[in-house]
Amino acid sequence: RGARPAPRCQEGTRVFFFSIPPCGRQEKLLEMRFTVQLAKRSLPLAQHVARHAAGSPAFQLSAALGARGQWLARSQARPAGEGRRSMSGGTVTFTIFDPVMAPEGATVTAKIGDNVLDVAQKHDLELEGACEGTLACSTCHCIFPKELFDKLPAMDEEELDMLDLAGGLTDTSRLGCQVKITEAFEGASIKIPEESYNMQ
């Protein structure tokens, strides 16, 4: 077959080939600049591939894909599990002191994310929750140890208003329906005040 004729250099048109026929000084400079830029962009990828398993199919593919392949290479190099959020809620074990049903303390196991009211009722403890967690009463009033209380999310105004109606209020009181179980509950002790029974 005959040699393919070289394209003519037209003013205002850039033709990108690995080898551009020299049609003048400007075209030669363009070829040199393109070669330098290509080398600069290829060097980081080459260094990245060299630092990892060059024989890995994933890294060979990343090199072939160029800039898009760098993302693939980085994802392959990331340790297993990194950047992934665990989908398991987990459980914790703690103690609830109920002055009538469990004055010595009942050890309960709860799923992270459940609220204290539901956990207490699930274990047959007398934490009433007359409004069923709608913040319309204070019958799920609980007293928390200070170290746990300080780790709980801040109360909103509605919970504060309801707590004002609770009997036996302390500096570490919360409504059980508004407190969700977290890892911080592990090994802690929560108290249901005696005054809660007088309000039922």
Side-chain angles (χ1 to χ4, degrees):
R1 297 178 181 178
R4 181 181 179 182
R8 296 182 179 179
C9 298
Q10 300 177 1
E11 185 178 356
T13 303
R14 293 184 179 181
V15 183
F16 290 93
F17 290 95
F18 285 98
S19 179
I20 301 178
C23 300
R25 184 175 181 180
Q26 293 182 350
E27 287 74 15
K28 189 64 177 178
L29 288 174
L30 177 62
E31 178 185 5
M32 293 174 63
R33 289 175 182 173
F34 177 75
T35 303
V36 171
Q37 292 296 325
L38 181 63
K40 287 182 178 179
R41 293 183 181 183
S42 300
L43 183 59
L45 178 59
Q47 293 174 341
H48 178 79
V49 173
R51 286 197 300 267
H52 296 84
S56 169
F59 283 102
Q60 291 177 0
L61 177 60
S62 72
L65 290 176
R68 292 183 180 180
Q70 294 186 39
W71 175 87
L72 174 63
R74 287 194 296 269
S75 66
Q76 291 292 329
R78 184 181 301 129
E82 181 181 333
R84 298 178 183 176
R85 183 174 297 178
S86 173
M87 299 300 292
S88 175
T91 60
V92 293
T93 301
F94 58 98
T95 303
I96 299 179
F97 287 90
D98 184 326
V100 174
M101 302 300 295
E104 72 289 351
T107 301
V108 301
T109 299
K111 292 181 180 180
I112 293 174
D114 289 348
N115 65 57
V116 174
L117 173 61
D118 290 342
V119 172
Q121 292 182 345
K122 181 179 178 180
H123 289 82
D124 299 321
L125 300 176
E126 291 295 324
L127 194 59
E128 184 178 5
C131 71
E132 298 182 351
T134 60
L135 272 177
C137 74
S138 60
T139 56
C140 62
H141 170 213
C142 298
I143 300 174
F144 293 80
K146 188 177 188 309
E147 57 272 18
L148 176 56
F149 180 85
D150 291 340
K151 297 176 182 178
L152 300 177
M155 289 181 277
D156 57 24
E157 292 185 4
E158 289 182 279
E159 184 177 357
L160 284 169
D161 290 343
M162 286 296 104
L163 275 174
D164 287 340
L165 305 176
L169 192 65
T170 72
D171 290 338
T172 60
S173 292
R174 292 291 301 265
L175 296 182
C177 68
Q178 299 301 302
V179 177
K180 293 187 179 296
I181 306 299
T182 66
E183 291 87 347
F185 276 71
E186 183 65 43
S189 297
I190 299 172
K191 179 182 177 183
I192 300 174
E194 294 184 7
E195 288 82 357
S196 293
Y197 283 91
N198 297 330
M199 299 182 68
Q200 294 180 15

